[in-house]
């Protein structure tokens, strides 16, 4: 599903019709067909059983939140692409996307998977939160707030591990917890940078002093850039006008005034990004 989303977002960013038809369409539709073949229809809705999510555990789980959220977003992207290319989307894509099971507790917090326990191995991996960002699954504000709050409260046992640590500061920033966001950016990315060449390691040497210092670990660099360019700025790529991508209020860690990028390329045109804390981000074209 992540591969399908990467193709879809490249199409949104570039509006390259030839790429959309010859490269993105075959990939995204085959992923959508695989999802249709993989779900089970039950009285709860559509379920995806026995999977491994982001957390690497020996035992498969049912209805992993990250997997199901990514599946829903990928199916919706398949429908969007089909219509934009003049094709007829499979009606099952939207039907399944709208009815995929997301495990929740009594408060409405999205849980990592069916039967999730706070004391299980890898419990702190923010799988449900990662389904909200960077995957981009959209839910109501209260559910988002509760889910991000639960993730932030559990992150101390996770931060320092590879990949997601680099962007978890986005979650408290979106909750208005600017000091906590700064702390997680320090521990989730800054502490990964080692001398003498400012290389980014796989594991934080502070949190995991016994791990080999494997560097450069580009997944952590990519996670940091993804959080800065999309998570903190509130930008969401879509087929609409780029002005519509700036959907959320910019939320920065403590001490960060904003993010400014002098040159981006959007649909073949140079653009600049201005994202000041508390404002809506702006994309300007010279």
């Amino acid at each position: 599903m992540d591969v399908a989303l990467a193709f879809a977002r490249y199409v949104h960013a570039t509006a390259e019709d030839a790429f959309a038809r010859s490269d993105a369409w075959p990939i995204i539709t085959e992923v959508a067909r695989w999802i249709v073949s993989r779900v089970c229809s039950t009285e709860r809705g559509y379920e995806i059983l026995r999977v491994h999510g982001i957390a690497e555990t020996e035992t498969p789980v049912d209805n992993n939140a990250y997997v199901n959220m990514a599946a829903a977003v990928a199916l919706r992207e398949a429908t969007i692409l089909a219509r934009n290319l003049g094709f007829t989307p499979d009606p099952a894509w939207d039907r399944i996307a709208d009815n995929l099971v997301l495990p929740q507790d009594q408060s409405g917090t999205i849980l990592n998977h069916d039967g999730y326990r706070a004391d299980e191995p890898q419990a702190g991996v923010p799988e449900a939160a990662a389904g909200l960002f960077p995957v981009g699954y959209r839910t109501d504000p209260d559910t988002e707030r509760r889910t991000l709050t639960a993730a932030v409260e559990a992150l101390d046992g996770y931060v320092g591990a590879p990949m997601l640590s680099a962007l978890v500061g986005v979650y408290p920033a979106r909750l208005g917890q600017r000091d906590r966001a700064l702390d997680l950016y320090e521990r989730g990315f800054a502490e990964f940078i080692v001398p003498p060449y400012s290389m980014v390691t796989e594991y934080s040497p502070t949190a995991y002093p016994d791990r080999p210092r494997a560097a450069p670990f580009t997944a952590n660099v990519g996670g940091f850039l993804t959080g800065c360019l999309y998570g903190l700025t509130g930008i969401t790529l879509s087929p609409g006008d780029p002005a519509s991508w700036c959907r959320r209020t910019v939320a920065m860690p403590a001490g960060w005034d904003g993010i400014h990028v002098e040159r981006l390329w959007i649909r073949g045109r140079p653009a600049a990004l201005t994202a000041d804390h508390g404002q809506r981000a702006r994309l300007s074209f010279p």
Side-chain angles (χ1 to χ4, degrees):
M1 282 84 78
D2 294 340
V3 172
L5 295 178
F7 274 80
R9 287 169 184 173
Y10 184 87
V11 172
H12 298 330
T14 65
E16 292 182 7
D17 185 73
F19 177 87
R21 292 179 183 276
S22 64
D23 296 273
W25 175 248
I27 295 294
I28 294 172
T29 53
E30 287 304 319
V31 171
R33 289 170 183 151
W34 178 83
I35 296 170
V36 171
S37 75
R38 185 65 171 79
V39 300
C40 301
S41 178
T42 73
E43 61 183 11
R44 298 174 69 190
Y46 290 98
E47 303 189 57
I48 303 181
L49 308 178
R50 295 188 58 78
V51 298
H52 291 281
I54 301 170
E56 297 177 358
T57 57
E58 293 183 3
T59 305
V61 298
D62 294 339
N63 296 311
N64 177 273
Y66 181 88
V67 171
N68 287 20
M69 288 175 171
V73 177
L75 289 171
R76 292 183 178 123
E77 290 286 7
T79 296
I80 290 170
L81 184 59
R83 290 173 177 155
N84 287 347
L85 294 177
F87 302 138
T88 301
D90 185 337
W93 296 345
D94 276 344
R95 183 175 68 250
I96 292 172
D98 291 341
N99 294 282
L100 273 166
V101 171
L102 287 183
Q104 294 179 275
D105 65 13
Q106 292 182 342
S107 74
T109 301
I110 301 173
L111 303 176
N112 283 356
H113 55 79
D114 282 351
Y116 171 80
R117 303 188 324 274
D119 62 347
E120 69 184 29
Q122 303 274 34
V125 180
E127 293 187 287
L132 299 173
F133 177 79
V135 166
Y137 184 88
R138 300 181 72 175
T139 186
D140 65 90
D142 287 341
T143 299
E144 176 180 301
R145 176 182 50 77
R146 287 190 292 262
T147 303
L148 293 182
T149 298
V152 169
E153 290 173 352
L155 280 173
D156 287 326
Y158 170 77
V159 70
M163 294 186 286
L164 287 182
S165 288
L167 57 75
V168 295
V170 171
Y171 304 145
R174 289 190 172 182
L175 294 168
Q177 301 174 14
R178 300 186 69 188
D179 288 337
R180 177 67 161 156
L182 179 63
D183 171 63
L184 290 176
Y185 264 107
E186 292 287 342
R187 295 162 57 201
F189 187 71
E191 290 182 1
F192 287 70
I193 302 171
V194 297
Y197 303 114
S198 296
M199 300 264 270
V200 178
T201 58
E202 180 179 11
Y203 285 85
S204 163
T206 302
Y208 294 91
D210 297 329
R211 292 273 188 172
R213 297 192 178 184
F217 195 71
T218 54
N220 287 340
V221 178
F224 174 73
L225 291 174
T226 297
C228 287
L229 289 175
Y230 299 102
L232 299 175
T233 65
I235 289 177
T236 301
L237 299 182
S238 72
D241 187 284
S244 70
W245 296 354
C246 306
R247 296 178 178 174
R248 307 176 67 105
T249 300
V250 177
M252 293 288 156
W256 295 30
D257 296 325
I259 291 172
H260 304 276
V261 183
E262 293 181 357
R263 180 62 58 90
L264 299 168
W265 285 93
I266 298 174
R267 299 179 181 175
R269 299 170 58 195
L273 167 65
T274 301
D276 295 321
H277 177 72
Q279 307 295 317
R280 286 292 178 98
R282 303 188 306 278
L283 295 168
S284 56
F285 296 86

